[in-house]
Amino acid sequence: MSLGPTSLGSQIAWDDTILPFQLDLSDIRGRVARLDGTLDRILAQHDYPDAIEALVAEMALLTALIGQTIKLRWKLSLQVRGDGPARLIATDYFGPSKEGEPAWIRAYASYDKDRLDPKADPFTQIGKGYFAILIDQGRDMVPYQGITPIAGNALSDCAETYFAQSEQLPTRFALSFAKMPDAAGRLGWRAGGVMLQHMPAASPLAHGGGSGEDGLLTARDIMDDGDRENWNRANILLDTVDASELIGPRVQPTDLLVRLFHEDQPRVFDPQGVSFGCTCSADKVQQSLSIYSAKDIGHMTTDDGIVTADCQFCGAHYEFDPRTLGFEAVEGGSDGN
């Protein structure tokens, strides 16, 4: 539906939602995302330093914006690996199992606390490395993987470079995230963002290298002059958005689209709910250990005679009888908690 100033209004609770849209007069599509309780739940599973929390928050928001396009039951993963103190930021987006259900997001980070600089920009803590997107389409399907080098000054810059370089899709993100007090004065995470993407039919391949860092492609390298004019205008309009409009909650995403892009006739589609979720289980842990011999399992066994495992995403703790593990297991069942 095309939007007017009073369209939809407050009929939808926008917390933890992703709203797809397109600009009918500019061949541009996009999403508006809000992560509130979901982001709080993600970060509550861990006790990260401020810099790592900021990186995880930005990565989770990117994951929500990108993941909304995958099909039911598919899984999208984002990973950033670097040689700095922030070694790994990993997120997963699980597409809904059926229409009308929320998608799930989870995230975790691996870092060297002793090397972190609390005064430095969080992005600089990654160092040199790569940004990767992986899509798992399910059983009997070959997973897709795309990788680009770490580039720019933020994780959103890395994602924009990925889409230009690997997908030849001009892409732009505007993100904001912060701890904010609720009505009772309790601090909680709120995050919001907009993703713009030029329709692929209007994105010819560039030749001879790009204008970005180390010759990587950028949006202007993969559009003709007519498309570039529309794209530049949409980007200039997006530059006028401020953090409070992105995060909310006072500004509805529909109202934001009208304010920014009313001349390009924004059209919205059904919003997608999102929540924190994890797919770990005792059976999956047991299966992952099935490749080990009894000798290997012995090395994993504690002085109390059990094998333990903790989920890096949700913190779930599992305990097993070592005799039930590995390809030489002699007893069935597990003591997973």
Side-chain angles (χ1 to χ4, degrees):
M1 63 176 292
S2 293
L3 287 173
T6 59
S7 297
L8 294 183
S10 58
Q11 297 177 16
I12 300 174
W14 292 107
D15 284 1
D16 299 320
T17 59
I18 308 159
L19 178 67
F21 68 90
Q22 71 181 42
L23 307 181
D24 285 346
L25 298 187
S26 300
D27 291 326
I28 291 171
R29 63 188 177 191
R31 269 86 73 192
V32 182
R34 294 267 171 85
L35 294 183
D36 308 293
T38 295
L39 184 56
D40 241 7
R41 287 284 307 280
I42 288 172
L43 292 171
Q45 311 305 314
H46 313 277
D47 184 20
Y48 292 141
D50 291 346
I52 300 300
E53 277 197 323
L55 290 171
V56 172
E58 183 177 6
M59 194 78 150
L61 187 52
L62 286 171
T63 303
L65 288 163
I66 297 170
Q68 186 274 332
T69 60
I70 69 171
K71 296 183 179 180
L72 296 178
R73 294 177 292 278
W74 285 15
K75 172 187 171 185
L76 175 135
S77 301
L78 268 59
Q79 288 188 11
V80 167
R81 290 185 179 270
D83 61 4
R87 296 188 295 256
L88 170 67
I89 311 293
T91 58
D92 290 328
Y93 179 103
F94 297 92
S97 58
K98 61 182 179 181
E99 295 287 351
E101 292 187 349
W104 287 0
I105 291 183
R106 62 181 188 177
Y108 84 95
S110 175
Y111 62 96
D112 186 342
K113 186 175 182 178
D114 293 336
R115 296 173 58 203
L116 279 175
D117 181 354
K119 297 181 180 179
D121 179 86
F123 182 74
T124 65
Q125 306 292 285
I126 297 170
K128 295 181 180 179
Y130 65 82
F131 176 94
I133 291 182
L134 305 92
I135 299 177
D136 183 352
Q137 303 175 41
R139 185 177 299 177
D140 301 324
M141 299 295 291
V142 178
Y144 165 83
Q145 177 175 288
I147 297 176
T148 56
I150 296 294
N153 300 303
L155 290 173
S156 58
D157 292 340
C158 295
E160 291 173 5
T161 299
Y162 164 81
F163 279 106
Q165 187 71 24
S166 298
E167 306 292 334
Q168 283 75 55
L169 289 176
T171 304
R172 168 75 190 281
F173 294 92
L175 310 178
S176 183
F177 43 90
K179 281 185 176 179
M180 300 178 65
D182 62 14
R186 294 183 296 263
L187 284 177
W189 279 94
R190 293 189 66 87
V194 176
M195 175 182 180
L196 297 179
Q197 200 163 58
H198 204 282
M199 295 296 193
S203 300
L205 286 171
H207 300 282
S211 60
E213 186 176 323
D214 296 326
L216 294 171
L217 295 176
T218 64
R220 66 174 176 267
D221 298 321
I222 47 181
M223 290 186 290
D224 60 30
D225 290 341
D227 294 328
R228 193 176 294 116
E229 181 178 351
N230 288 335
W231 180 251
N232 288 342
R233 183 178 70 254
N235 276 265
I236 290 171
L237 292 170
L238 188 57
D239 286 337
T240 67
V241 75
D242 62 40
S244 63
E245 291 177 305
L246 291 172
I247 293 178
R250 295 178 180 84
V251 179
Q252 304 285 348
T254 47
D255 294 339
L256 176 60
L257 292 175
V258 169
R259 186 187 80 72
L260 291 173
F261 306 119
H262 64 277
E263 292 184 357
D264 292 295
Q265 295 185 6
R267 180 187 302 270
V268 298
F269 303 95
D270 291 338
Q272 172 65 61
V274 63
S275 63
F276 169 77
C278 192
T279 59
C280 72
S281 68
D283 287 342
K284 288 184 177 181
V285 175
Q286 196 167 18
Q287 183 178 5
S288 71
L289 295 173
S290 64
I291 62 173
Y292 295 102
S293 67
K295 182 178 180 180
D296 294 329
I297 296 298
H299 292 308
M300 303 177 194
T301 304
T302 69
D303 292 340
D304 295 326
I306 60 173
V307 174
T308 65
D310 296 311
C311 177
Q312 294 173 300
F313 287 99
C314 72
H317 179 74
Y318 298 96
E319 296 181 357
F320 300 90
D321 182 333
R323 293 170 295 179
T324 68
L325 302 175
F327 61 81
E328 298 175 278
V330 295
E331 294 186 12
S334 74
D335 297 322
N337 295 320

